[in-house]
Structures are given as C-alpha cells and as structure tokens.
C-alpha cells in the first residue's frame, strides 16, 4: 500500500461528507484553530509583504495557541485591495481576477487561483446544508432547477457577485435570465411555473432588488404558481445602489411569500459574501447567517479595532482559511454583531449585519483604518492617498 | 473534448448508452469508465476529461437497470446487469477503436464487476478501481442497511431507499446468493483468476469499504500484479472533494498510461491537468448533453 499526498485539513472538512455546521463545538474550535494556523503559515511562506507586515506588527504564528488568540492576527483593511494587488500565489497560477460590484468608484481586485475558486465553490455547496431538510444533498443535481436572475457565468468575467450567483449552475441545472443587461421577468416566471409543474424543486436566486422586481411584476400580472411549497428563494449581494429602496428583511420575505403563495418565510433566505471573502454566510431557517467553521469572525471596536465582547456592535473582521491566492485576514466596512449560538441547533456563531460605515459620518473609524493602512507597504499602495 | 453517444445492446436486447470521448491528440490508450452505484456517466466526466487531455479515448456507460440513459430503472438494479453492460461496452471499444486490449476504470461497486470481468476476459490489460468494493455484502449492509448474507428472500422489504431512489432488494439478494457477488471470498477468487494488473485507489476514511478486506483481497487474490494507493483521510465519495480528485486522477492517469505500476513514485512531468474552468464547463455541458440524449432515446428523467 502506497500513500498518496494528503489533502489539506481545510479541504477535508470543506468537501467532507459531514455537515460542517453540525460539528461539535470542540471539533469546530480545534478545526478552526488548525485551519487558520495552516492558512497563516501558507501565506507567510509565499507572501513577503504580508510577512513583513506581520513582523512589523510583532506577530508570530506561535502566539496562536487557542481560538481566542485568533483575534491577535493582524488584519488587512479591505480597502488595501483597492490600492494594491495583494497575491500569495504565482501570477501564472491565477485563473481570474475579480472586482467588487460596490457602489464606490474604486473597486477591490482579488486574484483567485484554482484552489481558491474550488474552495469557494465548496463553500457555496456547503451552504445547501443550511437548506436541509427542504433540500436533500443528493437531490441537488437531479430534482432541483435554478432560476438565476443574473447573467450566465460565461457572459461575465468581472464583478464577483455575478460570478458567485452563476456558479450555482455547477450545483444544479440553471437557467439565467439577465442577457445583455436585460432582466427577463416574464421568461423567469414562466420558467418557475414550468419547473414546478414538472415536479422539480425550484431555487429562485438573485439580488433582492431583482427578486423584488420579479415579485412586483408577478403581482401586477396576477401571476400564480401551483406547487409553491417547492419554490425556494435565495437572495444575495444586497441592494447596492438601490439601498434607499431596500425593504426590511421580514417585509421582503412576507412580500415574496404572499405573492408566490409560499408556505412560510422559511422558504426565503439571504446569503452574505464580499469579493474579499472566500466563503458565503447563509441564513438558516431562523434567518440567522451562519459563519462556517473555516472562518473566524470577530467584532472590533470602531475606534481601537480591538475585539469586543459578544453582544457589542462594531466592525466585522474575518479570517478565512479557504483563501489560497490572497490573504483573507480582513476587516471591512460592515458594522455588525456576532451571536455565539443559534437556536436552530447548529454550532458556531451567526453574524448580524447592521449597516455599512460611512466615511464621512464615521470619521473616527475611517481615521483608524487609514492608520492601519499606512503601516502597509505593498507595491502600488500609496499610504498618503485619501481613503475616499 | 468531443463526446458522442453510441448504443450497444445486451444479450437480451436492452440498450446500453455509451459516451465515447475522443482523446486530445493522437490516442495512446483506450479505456472504459464505469460510474459507481447511483452515479451516471456524466458524473465521471472529470475522469474522461483528465484522460482525454492525456491521450486516452474513453467509453463511459450507464448500466442497464440503473440511473441514466440506458434501458431499465434503478429499482431493478443488479450487478449482473452492470457486468453485462460493461461487457458490451468493452467489446464496442475493441471493435470501434481497432485495438486488442483496453483498460477498465471502475468506481465503487462497479469495480467489483470489473474484477469479475477481468477474470473472464483476457483482453482487459489493466483494472483501475476507485474506492473499489471487495466485500459487496458488507458495503451494501453499510449503505442500505440490509445484510443479504443473513436474511431470507421472503423477509425482504418491497424496496429500500438509497439517496432518494427506491431499490428492489431481491435483485441484490439473488446477486449475492446465486452468483456470489457479495462475499469477500468471491472477490478473492475473481482476482486470483485475473492475470492483468489491478490497481485500487482507496480512501483511508472510507465508510463503506473496510481497508483490511481490501488488503486481504489484493494479497490473496494475486492472479497478477496488485497495487493499492491510499488517500489519507479520504472518504468513499471522492468525487465530492476536488482536492482529492486532483491527487487521485493525476496518479490514476499515470497508472493507466504506464506499463509498470510498481515504478511509479511521482507523477510524470508531462501530465496535463484540466483547469477548474474546464471542469466546470464540462459539468454544465454534459448535464445538457444528457438531457438532449435522453430526449433522443425517449428515456424518462
């Protein structure tokens, strides 16, 4: 018997048979600790500027002895990805560079290699665990049809969000209903009706603003479906520049339930991802967004950037062990809360997003972030340049 | 890669749907790929792609009385049906490619049929098992919850459920009791008769195959060279783990292309690996191809 090279720890859990959201707390913490350590080691060996940054911050991996020590890892403000190309893998291994679809003028650019993309796809698949028992894992490929209110993957090589939504086609047969920038509402509705009549489970996916538009169109045209108990609505990407029209999540869910005749709001879920993060946080049946076990999430004080106690709001930071081509040890612009456990029974924290910080109204925070950035010396990064 | 639908017929005139995938560049070898139980030929597409990019023409098939494009439904699944499907596919390959020998790559329960096939078919030049099953009764007990070796036919339920499919357990009972598909000794006997090299890629954490059984079968059933490659921490459904797939398929391709398995300690430097995007494109394209062929053949989904 000859041994083949072992796959990494994170790949074993990410792609494993066991539900990663149902590891015991002990298993989860042990895995998270080792996975983040493994990721830190890997990036430090391949990324000299990161190594220098950590050295200047007087950080070594040996300081990480316990899960609580993960809060000591120096963080990269997500803004640095707008100013510099921060890559841990060799240029010839990069499959594609993705940009954020943010509302600002300057976009983050994240280079992803095969390993990183594979793991992202794995993270996306693991989210379907949170849709059980409505969705059986083995049914994905055969009994589910996806109606994507977005462009096909092949038509879109830029914004990360579109790529994420289109990647669902790998999990289940998918039709896309944005072509040449046009959202084809009527065709999408007819597709939903056709698949439900054929006895399939249907996943309607898209940004909430597009789903709302579809729902209003259905309402206006007195559109109804039979078998709506087999229809599931998955949103992601937020409202973006339509944030002023955003409905509160419970109101949005109720609108969808009422219009399509769903059995309950459980059939409407939202997911969170950003281009600088390589995992998706999906809602369970209680509409809590679960942090997968390969990600360490923390809340930071907006002024000191120190980790705060549970229940306090602050800036969200993440250490994502699945990112191979770029260091995903990040702090972003989202204010939020962490809850250490969810009544749904799954293990690990859930994250609650409150709002995105405003550079003008959250000046103290912005200045702190500016100070953090000024300690970075990546090529192409101008520390004197304004954050705006 | 270019994939075409071919149809072969079993001895009782049932259709076996085959996908022939051309090699990129001049063909170096020909191989039949058998998907595991509950998987369709499109599920082994990444193996076909990997092999095609390295010069191997592949013939995949959906067994009769199984999922996929061939005649019959999985309710009536039997290993005898899979063996017959393998036989007609392999003969199709020899004839169409004008070759005298070919390799069989078989996953999980299908590997068990490949071992018996090799015992009786000298044109097989190599068997490569992927998490190959050697103790059918034990694996079925673990997967379906029924121990066929210790139950009367009349005591069997009308059906058992596996991954959302209803399966009539009587066919498997007959497989076990009439044809000795289920026992470890049956596998040892087949392997003892098969003179070609047999290689198995095992998963260390395989929940359906006992590693001691595998070692015993390969040690005692030594009708020819026998090798086991073991993936640390691997689980039975390797296809769910792309990191594991990459490790295994690289070595599998090497094993398939080389004559001497024992000399392989590292991958050939000229091995071509499909990219993430190529595999994604293939998965989506072959799902559509299956749908198109299903309509052509008048098969239900």
């Amino acid at each position: 018997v000859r041994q083949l090279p072992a796959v990494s720890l994170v790949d074993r859990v990410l792609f494993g048979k066991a539900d990663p959201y149902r590891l015991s707390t002990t298993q989860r913490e042990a895995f998270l600790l080792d996975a983040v350590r493994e990721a830190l080691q890997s990036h430090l060996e391949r990324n000299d500027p990161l190594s220098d940054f950590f050295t200047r911050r007087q950080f070594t991996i040996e300081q990480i002895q316990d899960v609580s020590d993960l809060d000591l890892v120096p963080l990269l403000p997500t803004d640095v990805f707008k100013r510099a190309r921060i890559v841990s893998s060799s240029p010839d291994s990069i499959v594609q560079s993705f940009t954020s679809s943010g509302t600002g003028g300057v976009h983050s650019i994240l280079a992803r290699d095969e390993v990183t993309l594979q793991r992202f796809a794995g993270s996306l698949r693991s989210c379907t665990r949170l849709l059980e028992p409505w969705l059986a894992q083995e049914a994905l490929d055969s009994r589910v049809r996806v109606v994507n209110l977005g462009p096909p993957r092949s038509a879109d090589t830029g914004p990360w969000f579109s790529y994420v939504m289109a990647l669902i086609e790998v999990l289940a047969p998918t039709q896309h209903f944005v072509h040449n920038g046009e959202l084809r509402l009527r065709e999408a509705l007819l597709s939903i009706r056709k698949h439900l009549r054929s006895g399939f489970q249907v996943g309607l996916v898209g940004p909430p603003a597009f789903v709302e538009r579809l729902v209003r169109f259905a309402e206006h045209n007195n559109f109804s479906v039979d078998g709506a108990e087999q229809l599931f609505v998955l949103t992601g990407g937020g409202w973006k520049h339509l944030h002023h029209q955003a409905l509160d999540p419970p109101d949005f869910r109720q609108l969808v339930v009422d219009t399509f005749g769903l059995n309950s709001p459980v059939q409407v879920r939202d997911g969170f991802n950003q281009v600088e993060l390589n995992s998706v946080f999906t809602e369970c049946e209680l509409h809590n967004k679960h942090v997968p076990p390969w990600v360490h999430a923390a809340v930071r004080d907006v002024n000191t950037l120190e980790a705060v106690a549970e229940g306090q709001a602050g800036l969200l930071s993440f250490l994502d062990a699945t990112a191979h081509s770029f260091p995903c040890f990040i702090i972003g612009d989202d204010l939020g809360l962490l809850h250490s456990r969810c009544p749904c029974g799954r293990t690990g924290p859930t994250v609650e997003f409150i709002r995105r910080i405003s550079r003008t109204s959250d000046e103290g925070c912005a200045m702190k972030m500016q100070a953090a950035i000024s300690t970075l010396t990546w090529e192409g990064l101008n520390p004197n340049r304004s954050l705006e | 890669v270019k994939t075409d639908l071919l149809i072969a017929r079993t001895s009782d005139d049932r259709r076996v749907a085959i996908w022939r995938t051309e090699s990129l560049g001049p063909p170096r070898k020909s191989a039949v790929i058998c998907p595991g139980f509950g998987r369709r030929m499109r599920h082994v597409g990444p193996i076909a792609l990997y092999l095609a990019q390295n010069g191997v023409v592949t013939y995949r098939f959906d067994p009769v009385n199984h999922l996929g494009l061939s005649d019959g439904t999985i309710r009536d699944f039997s290993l005898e049906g899979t063996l017959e499907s393998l036989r007609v596919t392999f003969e199709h390959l020899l004839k169409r490619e004008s070759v005298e020998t070919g390799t069989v790559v078989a996953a999980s329960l299908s590997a068990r049929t490949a071992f018996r096939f090799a015992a009786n078919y000298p044109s097989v030049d190599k068997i490569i098992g992927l998490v190959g099953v050697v103790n059918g009764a034990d694996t079925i007990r673990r997967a379906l919850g029924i121990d066929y070796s210790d139950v009367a036919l009349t005591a069997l339920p009308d059906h058992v459920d596996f991954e959302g499919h209803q399966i009539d357990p009587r066919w498997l009972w007959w497989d076990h009791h009439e044809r000795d598909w289920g026992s470890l000794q049956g596998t040892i006997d087949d392997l003892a008769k098969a003179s070609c090299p047999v290689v198995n890629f095992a998963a260390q954490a395989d929940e359906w195959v006992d590693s001691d059984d595998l070692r015993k079968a390969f040690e005692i059933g030594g009708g020819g060279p026998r090798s086991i490659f073991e993936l640390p921490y691997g689980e039975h459904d390797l296809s769910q783990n792309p990191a594991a797939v990459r490790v295994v398929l690289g070595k599998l391709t090497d094993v398939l292309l080389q004559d001497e398995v024992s000399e392989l300690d590292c991958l050939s430097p000229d091995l071509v690996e499909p990219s993430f995007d190529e595999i994604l494109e293939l998965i989506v394209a072959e799902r559509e191809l299956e749908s198109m062929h299903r309509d052509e053949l008048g098969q239900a989904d």
Side-chain angles (χ1 to χ4, degrees):
Chain A
V1 178
R2 272 167 286 183
Q3 297 291 305
L4 294 168
V7 298
S8 71
L9 176 65
V10 72
D11 288 328
R12 271 177 249 154
V13 174
L14 180 63
F15 300 114
K17 192 176 180 186
D19 181 347
Y21 296 94
R22 295 199 185 274
L23 299 175
S24 71
T25 301
T26 308
Q27 286 173 324
R28 182 187 171 98
E29 290 190 350
F31 163 67
L32 177 64
L33 190 64
D34 288 344
V36 173
R37 271 205 203 117
E38 199 174 90
L40 283 165
Q41 186 68 46
S42 168
H43 284 287
L44 288 174
E45 285 169 1
R46 295 177 293 131
N47 192 324
D48 291 340
L50 183 78
S51 179
D52 293 344
F53 173 55
F54 279 15
T55 302
R56 283 198 304 282
R57 298 290 295 268
Q58 298 180 316
F59 172 79
T60 62
I61 293 177
E62 289 68 38
Q63 289 171 254
I64 307 295
Q65 296 297 321
D66 190 76
V67 169
S68 61
D69 297 331
L70 294 174
D71 290 336
L72 301 173
V73 176
L75 298 167
L76 304 176
T78 50
D79 275 18
V80 300
F81 294 102
K82 294 177 180 171
R83 293 150 184 263
R85 192 174 165 82
I86 301 169
V87 186
S88 298
S89 301
S90 64
D92 58 355
S93 70
I94 299 303
V95 176
Q96 202 168 318
S97 289
F98 296 92
T99 60
S100 55
S101 46
T103 52
V106 185
H107 291 189
S108 294
I109 300 177
L110 277 292
R112 283 178 159 90
D113 61 3
E114 297 237 340
V115 173
T116 308
L117 283 172
Q118 259 174 16
R119 288 176 177 172
F120 181 77
S123 167
L124 203 58
R125 186 180 186 96
S126 78
C127 290
T128 62
R129 296 283 191 178
L130 292 153
L131 307 183
E132 292 173 345
W134 179 81
L135 182 69
Q137 289 294 303
E138 61 270 16
L140 261 177
D141 191 40
S142 56
R143 300 215 306 270
V144 175
R145 295 292 180 268
V146 174
V147 171
N148 176 29
L149 302 182
R153 194 168 50 89
S154 54
D156 199 287
T157 55
W160 171 241
F161 172 71
S162 297
Y163 185 89
V164 171
M165 300 310 265
L167 202 57
I168 290 173
E169 72 183 339
V170 181
L171 305 181
T174 301
Q175 281 181 287
H176 310 276
F177 290 91
V178 171
H179 295 277
N180 301 320
E182 180 197 354
L183 176 58
R184 299 182 178 174
L185 299 171
R186 185 171 176 278
E187 289 175 29
L189 288 175
L190 292 176
S191 179
I192 292 170
R193 177 182 278 166
K194 184 187 83 174
H195 291 318
L196 288 174
R197 278 185 181 161
S198 300
F200 290 110
Q201 294 181 304
V202 176
L204 169 65
V205 304
F210 283 19
V211 172
E212 192 217 4
R213 202 174 296 177
L214 184 77
V215 166
R216 303 281 187 206
F217 182 79
E219 202 175 28
H220 182 73
N221 290 281
N222 294 318
F223 176 86
S224 62
V225 290
D226 293 327
E229 68 279 2
Q230 295 298 333
L231 175 61
F232 220 77
V233 180
L234 299 162
T235 57
W239 292 77
K240 298 282 187 290
H241 61 280
L242 298 172
H243 60 91
H244 54 284
Q245 298 174 12
L247 298 175
D248 283 340
D251 294 341
F252 174 78
R253 292 192 287 265
Q254 199 57 50
L255 175 71
V256 178
V257 167
D258 291 344
T259 307
F260 285 133
L262 308 184
N263 282 354
S264 99
V266 164
Q267 288 171 254
V268 186
R269 309 281 182 93
D270 187 50
F272 171 80
N273 174 254
Q274 61 190 82
V275 69
E276 300 91 353
L277 188 65
N278 206 50
S279 299
V280 183
F281 303 167
T282 305
E283 288 181 355
C284 66
E285 58 273 21
L286 300 177
H287 299 291
N288 294 322
K289 290 185 172 73
H290 282 256
V291 179
W294 43 86
V295 175
H296 173 68
V299 178
R300 309 273 170 169
D301 182 275
V302 292
N303 291 309
T304 66
L305 299 188
E306 295 293 322
V308 300
E310 188 191 348
Q312 287 186 39
L315 278 176
L316 293 166
S317 69
F318 305 109
L319 311 178
D320 186 339
T322 67
H324 180 260
S325 55
F326 65 93
C328 189
F329 314 124
I330 57 169
I331 182 164
D333 297 339
D334 288 303
L335 282 174
L337 288 168
L338 280 179
H339 304 282
S340 61
R341 55 175 57 89
C342 178
C344 76
R346 295 176 180 87
T347 52
T350 61
V351 63
E352 181 182 339
F353 294 88
I354 300 173
R355 66 178 171 88
R356 182 152 283 200
I357 59 164
S358 154
R359 294 297 188 200
T360 48
S361 60
D362 298 290
E363 194 176 349
C365 176
M367 287 174 68
K368 197 74 192 175
M369 298 276 278
Q370 173 95 19
I373 288 176
S374 68
T375 65
L376 301 174
T377 55
W378 268 277
E379 188 183 352
L381 180 69
N382 177 359
N384 298 318
R385 191 173 147 197
S386 161
L387 274 174
E388 286 301 309
Chain B
V1 294
K2 185 173 183 297
T3 296
D4 294 312
L5 174 68
L6 308 172
I7 298 293
R9 288 191 178 269
T10 60
S11 55
D12 59 353
D13 206 31
R14 285 176 297 168
R15 293 177 300 179
V16 176
I18 301 167
W19 276 355
R20 176 185 182 274
T21 301
E22 282 185 2
S23 62
L24 295 178
R28 299 162 70 186
K29 295 270 274 187
S30 304
V32 169
I33 308 174
C34 320
F37 178 63
R39 300 290 178 267
R40 302 156 190 257
M41 53 181 162
R42 68 177 162 84
H43 291 130
V44 289
I47 304 177
L49 178 64
Y50 221 107
L51 293 176
Q53 293 194 346
N54 288 280
V56 182
V57 180
T58 60
Y59 283 59
R60 288 173 269 169
F61 67 95
D62 286 327
V64 293
N65 295 339
H66 193 254
L67 301 176
L69 299 174
S70 298
D71 285 347
T73 69
I74 195 169
R75 186 179 172 88
D76 299 322
F77 173 80
S78 74
L79 284 160
E80 281 294 312
T82 303
L83 178 64
E84 174 65 358
S85 305
L86 169 58
R87 182 188 68 78
V88 300
T89 304
F90 193 82
E91 288 183 351
H92 217 76
L93 175 149
L94 295 183
K95 190 174 173 187
R96 187 177 167 117
E97 303 303 321
S98 301
V99 291
E100 293 186 354
T101 62
T103 300
V104 176
V105 179
S108 188
L109 201 55
S110 295
R112 176 64 191 92
T113 58
F115 299 151
R116 180 161 295 179
F117 183 61
N120 298 296
Y121 221 88
S123 300
V124 178
D125 62 21
K126 197 179 290 169
I127 296 284
I128 302 176
L130 274 169
V131 287
V133 168
V134 293
N135 185 340
D138 181 57
T139 295
I140 288 169
R141 180 183 57 77
R142 294 177 191 222
L144 299 183
I146 292 182
D147 186 349
Y148 290 92
S149 59
D150 194 29
V151 66
L153 179 64
T154 51
L156 290 170
D158 173 64
H159 69 268
V160 290
D161 291 315
F162 178 74
E163 294 187 346
H165 304 290
Q166 290 190 347
I167 295 150
D168 183 343
R170 285 168 295 191
W171 294 106
L172 292 168
W173 189 93
W174 279 316
D175 271 345
H176 183 67
H177 289 273
E178 304 288 326
R179 304 278 183 169
D180 195 16
W181 280 109
S183 75
L184 176 61
Q185 188 57 48
T187 303
I188 291 170
D189 293 344
D190 285 338
L191 285 170
K193 278 193 267 177
S195 58
C196 68
V198 180
V199 180
N200 193 51
F201 286 87
Q204 192 187 47
D206 194 324
E207 63 281 18
W208 287 352
V209 177
D210 184 283
S211 60
D212 289 340
D213 282 349
L214 176 63
R215 285 165 206 229
K216 187 175 174 186
F218 272 51
E219 276 168 21
I220 305 175
R226 304 285 178 259
S227 304
I228 298 171
F229 289 95
E230 189 174 71
L231 182 72
Y233 310 106
E235 295 176 313
H236 189 79
D237 197 353
L238 281 176
S239 65
Q240 293 298 317
N241 187 335
V245 166
R246 194 159 286 272
V247 171
V248 168
L249 291 193
K251 184 58 92 177
L252 182 151
T253 306
D254 242 357
V255 165
L256 196 150
L257 289 171
Q258 307 299 326
D259 292 330
E260 294 295 328
V261 174
S262 59
E263 292 178 6
L264 293 166
D265 284 328
C266 56
L267 294 180
S268 297
D270 57 350
L271 193 75
V272 181
E273 289 190 297
S275 69
F276 176 74
D277 260 347
E278 286 172 324
I279 292 173
L280 291 194
E281 295 296 340
L282 181 89
I283 290 169
V284 175
E286 291 203 336
R287 201 188 273 136
E288 288 171 11
L289 189 68
E290 183 191 61
S291 176
M292 190 177 85
H293 288 161
R294 187 186 303 122
D295 291 344
E296 271 179 36
L297 295 169
Q299 299 280 31
D301 190 10

